[in-house]
Amino acid sequence: MAGRRDGIRRTPPAAGERAEWARELLDHLRPAGRDVRGVVDWLAATVDAEVSLRDAAGALLAGTRLPLDESLVAGLAGGRIASAAWEGEGRHVRLAAIGHPARTCVLAVSRESPFDRHASDVVTHTAQVIELLLTADETAAAGHLLRRATADLRLAILQLLMVEDTVAARRVAAGLWPGLLDADTACVYVVESAPALRDRLAAECLDSTREEALVVRCPAMDGHVIVVSPREATAGALRSLVERHPGTFLGGSVWQSLARTATAYGQAVSALAVARFRADKTAVYAERTHPERLMDPAALRGWAARVLSPLDVLPHHTRAELLATTRLGLEFTAVNTAKILGVSRNTVRARMERVESLLGADFDDVTARAVVHLALHTQINLLDGRTAAGPAAHAQGLAGLLDGPAVGAWARDLLGRLDRDTRNLRRTLCTWIAAGGNAERAAQTLGVHAQTVREHVRSAEPVLERQLLAAGTDLYEVVLAHLAAGDLEQPVLMGG
């Protein structure tokens, strides 16, 4: 009867012992246990050995670093041999090549005792498991990179739409999503959830729309997913999704041309604010009466062209870039505008400062922002496909546009809603606007606390059915109402 040098008798492993180590090894393939380092540590403990897993360049991936014959390692890494073994200096070493899509690795197992059948079986099967795990990791990493690249591409398309470059947006989209942007009009939706749930929500938006919509993780708001779709069925699919998820809300725009994606996005964000207070958690932007629709179209076109005329000296692409950035910059903060456009906030500020200089406007003045916003809004909504206004229309200024009876009636009706509140919300709101939206300066003028000003402005929002604390279309319409009512002085612009 032969025995080992340490005097311990070797016997083949019992069936139960083999089943036990096999079960433990298979456990490492379960989703919760897929860790190559854990498998290498388990192998070391199971066969009482030192184990090393390294790549062809010698970098240690798991285990402990072992002195190895580099010529053998090179043969394994190069694919010339599949396995090797040697003994010396009181150690028995087994090496195995482990191949996976990116590179070949080398598994080395070193122990004092010779490799019996049990230890050899454990090493062989463990090498197979490590190969599966490395391949799975590589596949998962490739899948993650593909999903990231696709998401970046969707964001790039959205950014092109935001600056009205529909031709480039369609060209980019055609490669991966043929026909996605072939329609002339689309709706924009914003789905809101907790930021931690957004990735899952974005995936469900893709599934529910059957990838027939542009689904983008909003670069500015962590909890928002933006959906641009030319298909009517998208609204129902997104409503069903919101119904299934507590704490999720949906805001949608009215139908807009693709060139007006930025306008539609602002509408969807505005509708989202309403959706938070509705039982069904959804809202579509209400087509309420806008002041520009109460003005003479020809006169309004002439005035807008006059206000923006200082920009006409610029090259076409520069002018378009400045106008697109300013439209978004008047709706959102510089930081969020930068994220939406994919540029730095300094770039946004520089472009808007250039527009300020050319137009002779001061964007710290909320009334100036509102007036320039009106001119830009008029340009995109009323000038498309229209001929230039005649000299008579060109001569009318902002005062004449706001002095019309229809605009006056609209302003009195809107601001009159505030008169029912005994706190004199209308005076607070007007003072706050005159102070550039600064609660501290408005409070000094009124002789109250700044928090009181903020509470009054916040209280005016549901009465007027408009967001005021967040700059944008809602606020600018209220500013125009004050200008029409004579409560605020009209800003002076170089062209208007």
Side-chain angles (χ1 to χ4, degrees):
M1 186 177 296
R4 293 168 59 197
R5 283 175 297 176
D6 57 8
I8 301 175
R9 181 179 177 181
R10 295 294 296 172
T11 59
E17 182 183 350
R18 177 183 175 87
E20 179 63 21
W21 71 256
R23 183 190 62 77
E24 291 177 1
L25 182 57
L26 287 174
D27 280 343
H28 287 282
L29 289 174
R30 300 181 188 278
R34 293 176 183 172
D35 176 23
V36 171
R37 291 184 178 85
V39 174
V40 169
D41 292 343
W42 173 86
L43 174 60
T46 301
V47 298
D48 190 20
E50 292 180 301
V51 181
S52 169
L53 179 66
R54 51 177 281 185
D55 62 17
L60 186 67
L61 303 179
T64 57
R65 185 171 293 282
L66 300 175
L68 301 174
D69 186 323
E70 294 301 325
S71 62
L72 279 178
V73 172
L76 289 161
R80 295 192 299 275
I81 54 178
S83 62
W86 87 84
E87 61 178 286
E89 298 180 0
R91 306 293 296 183
H92 299 264
V93 182
R94 290 283 180 92
L95 296 97
I98 297 179
H100 67 104
R103 60 191 185 278
T104 298
C105 297
V106 176
L107 176 69
V109 183
S110 173
R111 55 185 247 158
E112 294 180 358
S113 303
F115 284 85
D116 56 15
R117 181 175 178 181
H118 166 67
S120 298
D121 283 349
V122 174
V123 171
T124 299
H125 286 86
T126 302
Q128 294 170 351
V129 168
I130 291 174
E131 182 172 339
L132 286 173
L133 291 177
L134 290 176
T135 301
D137 287 345
E138 203 68 36
T139 302
H144 174 73
L145 290 175
L146 179 60
R147 288 190 296 273
R148 178 63 183 270
T150 305
D152 289 345
L153 188 58
R154 290 193 184 98
L155 175 58
I157 295 170
L158 177 66
Q159 289 168 341
L160 288 170
L161 291 175
M162 287 288 195
V163 295
E164 304 166 31
D165 195 346
T166 57
V167 174
R170 283 176 170 139
R171 187 181 300 122
V172 174
L176 288 178
W177 304 284
L180 176 64
L181 300 178
D182 285 352
D184 293 328
T185 60
C187 276
V188 175
Y189 305 90
V190 177
V191 188
E192 181 182 66
S193 69
L197 303 177
R198 184 174 67 165
D199 286 349
R200 188 181 74 181
L201 186 67
E204 289 198 34
C205 286
L206 283 169
D207 290 340
S208 62
T209 58
R210 301 177 183 178
E211 296 202 17
E212 294 180 340
L214 181 66
V215 178
V216 180
R217 294 167 179 82
C218 179
M221 302 297 291
D222 291 339
H224 288 186
V225 175
I226 302 170
V227 181
V228 182
S229 176
R231 293 167 178 80
E232 294 184 0
T234 300
L238 294 178
R239 285 193 184 97
S240 297
L241 184 151
V242 168
E243 288 175 0
R244 297 194 301 269
H245 295 282
T248 305
F249 305 94
L250 172 67
S253 73
V254 298
W255 288 91
Q256 299 279 6
S257 70
L258 288 178
R260 298 171 188 168
T261 298
T263 298
Y265 172 62
Q267 291 179 347
V269 171
S270 180
L272 184 64
V274 177
R276 297 188 189 105
F277 301 98
R278 289 194 171 177
D280 62 357
K281 304 183 295 180
T282 67
V284 175
Y285 184 75
E287 272 290 23
R288 60 192 179 222
T289 302
H290 300 287
E292 64 270 20
R293 296 186 179 181
L294 303 174
M295 302 173 187
D296 176 73
L300 181 58
R301 288 197 301 272
W303 170 82
R306 183 180 173 186
V307 168
L308 300 177
S309 62
L311 297 171
D312 294 342
V313 299
L314 301 173
H316 175 74
H317 71 280
T318 302
R319 182 180 187 275
E321 184 179 70
L322 292 180
L323 289 179
T325 301
T326 303
R327 285 192 195 101
L328 287 173
L330 292 177
E331 292 283 351
F332 308 103
T333 64
V335 173
N336 286 348
T337 299
K339 291 178 180 178
I340 293 170
L341 294 178
V343 298
S344 72
R345 59 184 177 183
N346 288 335
T347 298
V348 170
R349 292 191 178 109
R351 291 175 183 175
M352 293 189 68
E353 286 172 1
R354 188 175 182 187
V355 172
E356 278 184 288
S357 177
L358 288 168
L359 299 185
D362 177 9
F363 286 161
D364 288 333
D365 181 355
V366 179
T367 60
R369 292 172 68 94
V371 171
V372 173
H373 180 271
L374 175 62
L376 293 172
H377 188 70
T378 299
Q379 182 200 53
I380 193 171
N381 286 327
L382 293 181
L383 290 182
D384 290 349
R386 303 292 186 91
T387 57
H394 231 315
Q396 187 165 3
L398 179 63
L401 293 172
L402 296 176
D403 201 32
V407 177
W410 165 80
R412 288 191 297 273
D413 176 70
L414 179 64
L415 299 179
R417 304 178 196 176
L418 300 173
D419 295 336
R420 303 164 195 162
D421 195 299
T422 58
R423 292 174 293 177
N424 204 343
L425 299 183
R426 181 169 175 173
R427 183 186 68 168
T428 302
L429 181 57
C430 183
T431 306
W432 176 74
I433 292 171
N438 186 289
E440 284 74 16
R441 289 203 299 267
Q444 290 177 1
T445 301
L446 294 170
V448 298
H449 195 278
Q451 186 59 31
T452 301
V453 173
R454 296 187 188 95
E455 290 174 357
H456 283 196
V457 174
R458 194 173 291 111
S459 297
E461 290 184 323
V463 177
L464 299 176
E465 297 179 339
R466 285 163 172 81
Q467 293 188 94
L468 301 175
L469 291 172
T473 301
D474 285 2
L475 172 61
Y476 300 143
E477 287 188 357
V478 174
V479 172
L480 291 176
H482 280 92
L483 290 172
D487 295 342
L488 292 170
E489 291 186 10
Q490 295 182 11
V492 177
L493 302 180
M494 190 173 296

